[in-house]
Amino acid sequence: MTSAITAENLEVRYGDAVALSGVDLTVPAGSSLAVIGPNGSGKSTLLAAIARTVKPSTGTAHVTGPPPALVLQATDVDKSLPITVRDTVSLARYPTVGLLRRFRPADRDAIDRALARMAIADLASRQFHDLSGGQRQRVLVAQGLAQECDVLLLDEPVNGLDLASRALILDVIDEEVASGRTVVMTTHSLDDARRCHQVLLLDTTPIAVGPPSAVLTEEHLQQGFSGQLIRVGDNVILDDPHHDH
């Protein structure tokens, strides 16, 4: 099976602080990986290393084929910045088209498809900063989709969203994998992690990686999240006050 992403002895430092260490990872093409762990465990750093927005201190992170699309969490935007929803999604096409060249029909079609898939075509002329948090996150995911990359990296794409936006984004993730693309997402939701083919449990260094049934055990979760776990009957619940679940 072809590997879409490989990491070998990957370590990332910010100055003297170790953000991520000892990551050995293989993600097959056309599969999904959920990365879970407590705050500050290196989840976002791992995505940044795969996307090459940060340089590994040691080891390697390699993506087969073109660079991946990286979708960050929606944040507040300066209201003095006039950018519409369509303009925001259109930014995805500039790496292949170039800043000074006109969009081709294929570029416009990719943008239109992404807007439609995230159910935001009716918001295309709205200012990005006027949208709700769920709508902004849909726009950023649409931007990632419009790049039409083989690998899609999503940093907590459904954290704190309304139910409609959450369900839409998770369904699109499933569609991307079904179409043969590779998706890596960070999450604090054990249920969302169970939807993926593989799970990587991080706490700066990997605790476990493999199928959800092998990784999301009480032993591993206690090791990764310590006192943030609550047992209710036969169920283990992650109680992280900094995130919604």
Side-chain angles (χ1 to χ4, degrees):
M1 186 175 294
T2 303
S3 297
I5 302 169
T6 56
E8 296 182 359
N9 194 31
L10 178 64
E11 179 175 294
V12 177
R13 292 175 175 262
Y14 299 117
D16 293 332
V18 178
L20 187 69
S21 179
V23 176
D24 292 302
L25 180 66
T26 300
V27 184
S31 71
S32 56
L33 170 72
V35 185
I36 66 171
N39 290 334
S41 61
K43 301 186 299 297
S44 297
T45 299
L46 175 61
L47 295 191
I50 294 172
R52 298 185 181 179
T53 60
V54 299
K55 186 177 180 180
S57 304
T58 59
T60 60
H62 174 72
V63 174
T64 302
L70 174 62
V71 177
L72 303 178
Q73 297 180 60
T75 58
D76 291 334
V77 177
D78 189 337
K79 291 190 176 183
S80 67
L81 177 65
I83 186 168
T84 67
V85 167
R86 187 175 185 86
D87 290 338
T88 303
V89 177
S90 297
L91 292 173
R93 305 301 299 179
Y94 285 111
T96 54
V97 175
L99 288 175
L100 302 179
R101 296 179 62 186
R102 291 186 176 184
F103 282 167
R104 303 155 297 183
D107 299 309
R108 291 189 288 272
D109 288 346
I111 294 165
D112 289 340
R113 281 194 300 271
L115 290 167
R117 291 181 68 188
M118 296 313 302
I120 52 173
D122 60 325
L123 304 177
S125 62
R126 291 271 303 275
Q127 290 293 309
F128 181 70
H129 58 66
D130 286 338
L131 303 182
S132 68
Q135 291 170 331
R136 286 199 300 269
Q137 190 64 39
R138 290 194 204 185
V139 173
L140 294 182
V141 173
Q143 187 185 78
L145 296 175
Q147 292 184 53
E148 297 186 321
C149 297
D150 294 333
V151 175
L152 181 62
L153 309 175
L154 302 161
D155 195 5
E156 297 195 24
V158 296
N159 178 49
L161 299 189
D162 59 275
L163 291 177
S165 295
R166 173 185 170 82
L168 183 61
I169 292 172
L170 290 174
D171 286 346
V172 164
I173 290 172
D174 291 343
E175 291 169 6
E176 287 294 283
V177 175
S179 70
R181 293 189 171 92
T182 306
V183 177
V184 179
M185 72 170 183
T186 65
T187 181
H188 279 255
S189 168
L190 301 185
D191 286 338
D192 294 347
R194 291 187 183 97
R195 297 170 66 111
C196 296
H197 292 104
Q198 290 191 90
V199 177
L200 169 62
L201 174 56
L202 272 181
D203 191 6
T204 304
T205 59
I207 293 172
V209 61
S213 59
V215 174
L216 301 178
T217 65
E218 185 169 357
E219 178 183 358
H220 289 151
L221 293 173
Q222 287 286 2
Q223 186 177 351
F225 291 96
S226 186
Q228 297 176 24
L229 295 183
I230 300 173
R231 173 171 285 284
V232 180
D234 293 331
N235 297 319
V236 175
I237 300 171
L238 176 58
D239 179 30
D240 184 351
H242 299 292
H243 291 80
D244 296 322
H245 306 294

PDB file of all heavy atoms in Angstrom, residues 17 26 36 51 54 69 78 89 101 115 118 141 143 148 150 183 187 190 205 209 216 245:
ATOM      1  N   ALA A  17      12.737  24.415  24.076  1.00  0.00           N
ATOM      2  CA  ALA A  17      11.539  23.636  24.417  1.00  0.00           C
ATOM      3  C   ALA A  17      11.263  22.584  23.346  1.00  0.00           C
ATOM      4  O   ALA A  17      11.228  22.889  22.151  1.00  0.00           O
ATOM      5  CB  ALA A  17      10.334  24.558  24.560  1.00  0.00           C
ATOM      6  N   THR A  26       3.400   6.188   9.697  1.00  0.00           N
ATOM      7  CA  THR A  26       3.087   5.933   8.297  1.00  0.00           C
ATOM      8  C   THR A  26       1.579   6.043   8.120  1.00  0.00           C
ATOM      9  O   THR A  26       0.827   5.376   8.837  1.00  0.00           O
ATOM     10  CB  THR A  26       3.551   4.537   7.851  1.00  0.00           C
ATOM     11  OG1 THR A  26       4.961   4.428   8.017  1.00  0.00           O
ATOM     12  CG2 THR A  26       3.198   4.303   6.387  1.00  0.00           C
ATOM     13  N   ILE A  36      -4.751  12.825  18.692  1.00  0.00           N
ATOM     14  CA  ILE A  36      -5.350  13.286  19.934  1.00  0.00           C
ATOM     15  C   ILE A  36      -4.272  13.432  21.002  1.00  0.00           C
ATOM     16  O   ILE A  36      -3.178  12.869  20.894  1.00  0.00           O
ATOM     17  CB  ILE A  36      -6.462  12.332  20.429  1.00  0.00           C
ATOM     18  CG1 ILE A  36      -5.875  10.969  20.828  1.00  0.00           C
ATOM     19  CG2 ILE A  36      -7.534  12.153  19.366  1.00  0.00           C
ATOM     20  CD1 ILE A  36      -6.885  10.067  21.519  1.00  0.00           C
ATOM     21  N   ALA A  51       3.227  19.789   7.015  1.00  0.00           N
ATOM     22  CA  ALA A  51       2.973  20.814   5.999  1.00  0.00           C
ATOM     23  C   ALA A  51       4.216  21.638   5.672  1.00  0.00           C
ATOM     24  O   ALA A  51       4.177  22.500   4.794  1.00  0.00           O
ATOM     25  CB  ALA A  51       1.861  21.741   6.472  1.00  0.00           C
ATOM     26  N   VAL A  54       6.906  24.418   9.696  1.00  0.00           N
ATOM     27  CA  VAL A  54       7.984  24.446  10.681  1.00  0.00           C
ATOM     28  C   VAL A  54       9.012  23.400  10.273  1.00  0.00           C
ATOM     29  O   VAL A  54       8.679  22.391   9.643  1.00  0.00           O
ATOM     30  CB  VAL A  54       7.498  24.167  12.126  1.00  0.00           C
ATOM     31  CG1 VAL A  54       6.492  25.207  12.565  1.00  0.00           C
ATOM     32  CG2 VAL A  54       6.932  22.765  12.261  1.00  0.00           C
ATOM     33  N   ALA A  69      -2.729  20.409   1.827  1.00  0.00           N
ATOM     34  CA  ALA A  69      -3.525  21.565   2.231  1.00  0.00           C
ATOM     35  C   ALA A  69      -3.632  21.546   3.756  1.00  0.00           C
ATOM     36  O   ALA A  69      -3.942  20.512   4.349  1.00  0.00           O
ATOM     37  CB  ALA A  69      -4.912  21.506   1.603  1.00  0.00           C
ATOM     38  N   ASP A  78      -9.512  40.938  11.505  1.00  0.00           N
ATOM     39  CA  ASP A  78      -9.599  42.400  11.593  1.00  0.00           C
ATOM     40  C   ASP A  78     -10.693  42.905  10.646  1.00  0.00           C
ATOM     41  O   ASP A  78     -10.667  42.644   9.446  1.00  0.00           O
ATOM     42  CB  ASP A  78      -8.243  43.006  11.206  1.00  0.00           C
ATOM     43  CG  ASP A  78      -8.167  44.501  11.486  1.00  0.00           C
ATOM     44  OD1 ASP A  78      -9.222  45.152  11.565  1.00  0.00           O
ATOM     45  OD2 ASP A  78      -7.036  44.998  11.617  1.00  0.00           O
ATOM     46  N   VAL A  89     -11.859  31.713  -0.092  1.00  0.00           N
ATOM     47  CA  VAL A  89     -11.728  30.373  -0.674  1.00  0.00           C
ATOM     48  C   VAL A  89     -10.829  30.420  -1.906  1.00  0.00           C
ATOM     49  O   VAL A  89     -10.041  29.498  -2.157  1.00  0.00           O
ATOM     50  CB  VAL A  89     -13.117  29.804  -1.019  1.00  0.00           C
ATOM     51  CG1 VAL A  89     -12.991  28.442  -1.706  1.00  0.00           C
ATOM     52  CG2 VAL A  89     -13.967  29.666   0.248  1.00  0.00           C
ATOM     53  N   ARG A 101      -1.707  35.830 -12.460  1.00  0.00           N
ATOM     54  CA  ARG A 101      -2.381  35.183 -13.584  1.00  0.00           C
ATOM     55  C   ARG A 101      -3.872  35.042 -13.302  1.00  0.00           C
ATOM     56  O   ARG A 101      -4.298  34.962 -12.155  1.00  0.00           O
ATOM     57  CB  ARG A 101      -1.770  33.809 -13.858  1.00  0.00           C
ATOM     58  CG  ARG A 101      -0.309  33.879 -14.293  1.00  0.00           C
ATOM     59  CD  ARG A 101       0.257  32.493 -14.530  1.00  0.00           C
ATOM     60  NE  ARG A 101      -0.459  31.800 -15.604  1.00  0.00           N
ATOM     61  CZ  ARG A 101      -0.240  30.532 -15.930  1.00  0.00           C
ATOM     62  NH1 ARG A 101       0.656  29.828 -15.258  1.00  0.00           N
ATOM     63  NH2 ARG A 101      -0.914  29.970 -16.900  1.00  0.00           N
ATOM     64  N   LEU A 115     -17.388  25.717  -2.252  1.00  0.00           N
ATOM     65  CA  LEU A 115     -18.443  26.517  -1.630  1.00  0.00           C
ATOM     66  C   LEU A 115     -19.725  25.706  -1.488  1.00  0.00           C
ATOM     67  O   LEU A 115     -20.389  25.738  -0.437  1.00  0.00           O
ATOM     68  CB  LEU A 115     -18.707  27.771  -2.461  1.00  0.00           C
ATOM     69  CG  LEU A 115     -17.619  28.841  -2.459  1.00  0.00           C
ATOM     70  CD1 LEU A 115     -17.882  29.873  -3.560  1.00  0.00           C
ATOM     71  CD2 LEU A 115     -17.530  29.531  -1.098  1.00  0.00           C
ATOM     72  N   MET A 118     -19.540  22.866   1.238  1.00  0.00           N
ATOM     73  CA  MET A 118     -19.622  23.363   2.605  1.00  0.00           C
ATOM     74  C   MET A 118     -20.880  24.198   2.851  1.00  0.00           C
ATOM     75  O   MET A 118     -21.027  24.823   3.897  1.00  0.00           O
ATOM     76  CB  MET A 118     -18.374  24.191   2.940  1.00  0.00           C
ATOM     77  CG  MET A 118     -17.075  23.406   2.921  1.00  0.00           C
ATOM     78  SD  MET A 118     -17.155  21.826   3.819  1.00  0.00           S
ATOM     79  CE  MET A 118     -17.624  22.376   5.448  1.00  0.00           C
ATOM     80  N   VAL A 141     -12.411  25.353   5.721  1.00  0.00           N
ATOM     81  CA  VAL A 141     -12.396  23.981   5.191  1.00  0.00           C
ATOM     82  C   VAL A 141     -12.624  24.014   3.679  1.00  0.00           C
ATOM     83  O   VAL A 141     -11.977  23.277   2.923  1.00  0.00           O
ATOM     84  CB  VAL A 141     -13.449  23.106   5.895  1.00  0.00           C
ATOM     85  CG1 VAL A 141     -13.542  21.737   5.221  1.00  0.00           C
ATOM     86  CG2 VAL A 141     -13.091  22.935   7.371  1.00  0.00           C
ATOM     87  N   GLN A 143     -11.715  26.332   1.711  1.00  0.00           N
ATOM     88  CA  GLN A 143     -10.432  26.760   1.146  1.00  0.00           C
ATOM     89  C   GLN A 143      -9.489  25.570   0.989  1.00  0.00           C
ATOM     90  O   GLN A 143      -8.813  25.419  -0.034  1.00  0.00           O
ATOM     91  CB  GLN A 143      -9.795  27.813   2.047  1.00  0.00           C
ATOM     92  CG  GLN A 143      -8.547  28.457   1.489  1.00  0.00           C
ATOM     93  CD  GLN A 143      -7.923  29.404   2.491  1.00  0.00           C
ATOM     94  OE1 GLN A 143      -7.259  28.979   3.426  1.00  0.00           O
ATOM     95  NE2 GLN A 143      -8.155  30.693   2.309  1.00  0.00           N
ATOM     96  N   GLU A 148      -7.638  21.070  -3.771  1.00  0.00           N
ATOM     97  CA  GLU A 148      -7.691  19.761  -4.432  1.00  0.00           C
ATOM     98  C   GLU A 148      -6.388  18.996  -4.273  1.00  0.00           C
ATOM     99  O   GLU A 148      -5.859  18.407  -5.234  1.00  0.00           O
ATOM    100  CB  GLU A 148      -8.069  19.925  -5.910  1.00  0.00           C
ATOM    101  CG  GLU A 148      -9.460  20.517  -6.108  1.00  0.00           C
ATOM    102  CD  GLU A 148      -9.907  20.549  -7.546  1.00  0.00           C
ATOM    103  OE1 GLU A 148      -9.068  20.839  -8.433  1.00  0.00           O
ATOM    104  OE2 GLU A 148     -11.089  20.274  -7.804  1.00  0.00           O
ATOM    105  N   ASP A 150      -3.910  15.981  -2.557  1.00  0.00           N
ATOM    106  CA  ASP A 150      -4.066  14.573  -2.202  1.00  0.00           C
ATOM    107  C   ASP A 150      -4.102  14.372  -0.693  1.00  0.00           C
ATOM    108  O   ASP A 150      -4.632  13.363  -0.215  1.00  0.00           O
ATOM    109  CB  ASP A 150      -2.919  13.750  -2.791  1.00  0.00           C
ATOM    110  CG  ASP A 150      -2.943  13.725  -4.304  1.00  0.00           C
ATOM    111  OD1 ASP A 150      -4.040  13.869  -4.883  1.00  0.00           O
ATOM    112  OD2 ASP A 150      -1.866  13.574  -4.915  1.00  0.00           O
ATOM    113  N   VAL A 183      -6.552  12.131   4.885  1.00  0.00           N
ATOM    114  CA  VAL A 183      -6.940  13.193   5.808  1.00  0.00           C
ATOM    115  C   VAL A 183      -6.324  12.929   7.170  1.00  0.00           C
ATOM    116  O   VAL A 183      -6.428  11.819   7.715  1.00  0.00           O
ATOM    117  CB  VAL A 183      -8.474  13.295   5.942  1.00  0.00           C
ATOM    118  CG1 VAL A 183      -8.847  14.366   6.976  1.00  0.00           C
ATOM    119  CG2 VAL A 183      -9.112  13.614   4.601  1.00  0.00           C
ATOM    120  N   THR A 187      -7.945  16.374  17.085  1.00  0.00           N
ATOM    121  CA  THR A 187      -9.250  16.447  17.733  1.00  0.00           C
ATOM    122  C   THR A 187      -9.110  16.158  19.224  1.00  0.00           C
ATOM    123  O   THR A 187      -8.152  15.519  19.664  1.00  0.00           O
ATOM    124  CB  THR A 187     -10.240  15.457  17.101  1.00  0.00           C
ATOM    125  OG1 THR A 187     -11.515  15.569  17.740  1.00  0.00           O
ATOM    126  CG2 THR A 187      -9.748  14.017  17.231  1.00  0.00           C
ATOM    127  N   LEU A 190     -13.125  11.822  21.394  1.00  0.00           N
ATOM    128  CA  LEU A 190     -12.851  10.403  21.211  1.00  0.00           C
ATOM    129  C   LEU A 190     -13.781   9.806  20.166  1.00  0.00           C
ATOM    130  O   LEU A 190     -13.383   8.921  19.405  1.00  0.00           O
ATOM    131  CB  LEU A 190     -13.006   9.665  22.546  1.00  0.00           C
ATOM    132  CG  LEU A 190     -12.111  10.143  23.691  1.00  0.00           C
ATOM    133  CD1 LEU A 190     -12.293   9.247  24.913  1.00  0.00           C
ATOM    134  CD2 LEU A 190     -10.651  10.195  23.275  1.00  0.00           C
ATOM    135  N   THR A 205       5.594  13.025  23.039  1.00  0.00           N
ATOM    136  CA  THR A 205       6.058  11.809  22.371  1.00  0.00           C
ATOM    137  C   THR A 205       4.859  10.884  22.153  1.00  0.00           C
ATOM    138  O   THR A 205       3.874  10.955  22.888  1.00  0.00           O
ATOM    139  CB  THR A 205       7.124  11.083  23.206  1.00  0.00           C
ATOM    140  OG1 THR A 205       6.566  10.749  24.479  1.00  0.00           O
ATOM    141  CG2 THR A 205       8.355  11.953  23.397  1.00  0.00           C
ATOM    142  N   VAL A 209      -0.122   4.328  18.607  1.00  0.00           N
ATOM    143  CA  VAL A 209      -0.622   4.604  17.263  1.00  0.00           C
ATOM    144  C   VAL A 209      -1.116   3.303  16.669  1.00  0.00           C
ATOM    145  O   VAL A 209      -0.520   2.244  16.866  1.00  0.00           O
ATOM    146  CB  VAL A 209       0.474   5.239  16.367  1.00  0.00           C
ATOM    147  CG1 VAL A 209       1.666   4.316  16.212  1.00  0.00           C
ATOM    148  CG2 VAL A 209      -0.101   5.637  15.016  1.00  0.00           C
ATOM    149  N   LEU A 216      -7.449   3.665  21.673  1.00  0.00           N
ATOM    150  CA  LEU A 216      -8.369   4.337  22.597  1.00  0.00           C
ATOM    151  C   LEU A 216      -8.807   3.414  23.719  1.00  0.00           C
ATOM    152  O   LEU A 216      -9.993   3.214  23.981  1.00  0.00           O
ATOM    153  CB  LEU A 216      -9.580   4.868  21.818  1.00  0.00           C
ATOM    154  CG  LEU A 216      -9.253   5.868  20.711  1.00  0.00           C
ATOM    155  CD1 LEU A 216     -10.518   6.290  19.978  1.00  0.00           C
ATOM    156  CD2 LEU A 216      -8.529   7.080  21.274  1.00  0.00           C
ATOM    157  N   HIS A 245     -16.969  19.213  23.634  1.00  0.00           N
ATOM    158  CA  HIS A 245     -17.004  17.854  23.108  1.00  0.00           C
ATOM    159  C   HIS A 245     -18.450  17.514  22.747  1.00  0.00           C
ATOM    160  O   HIS A 245     -19.233  17.204  23.610  1.00  0.00           O
ATOM    161  CB  HIS A 245     -16.485  16.855  24.138  1.00  0.00           C
ATOM    162  CG  HIS A 245     -15.122  17.215  24.650  1.00  0.00           C
ATOM    163  ND1 HIS A 245     -13.993  17.212  23.870  1.00  0.00           N
ATOM    164  CD2 HIS A 245     -14.713  17.669  25.852  1.00  0.00           C
ATOM    165  CE1 HIS A 245     -12.946  17.623  24.578  1.00  0.00           C
ATOM    166  NE2 HIS A 245     -13.369  17.911  25.757  1.00  0.00           N
TER     167      HIS A 245
END
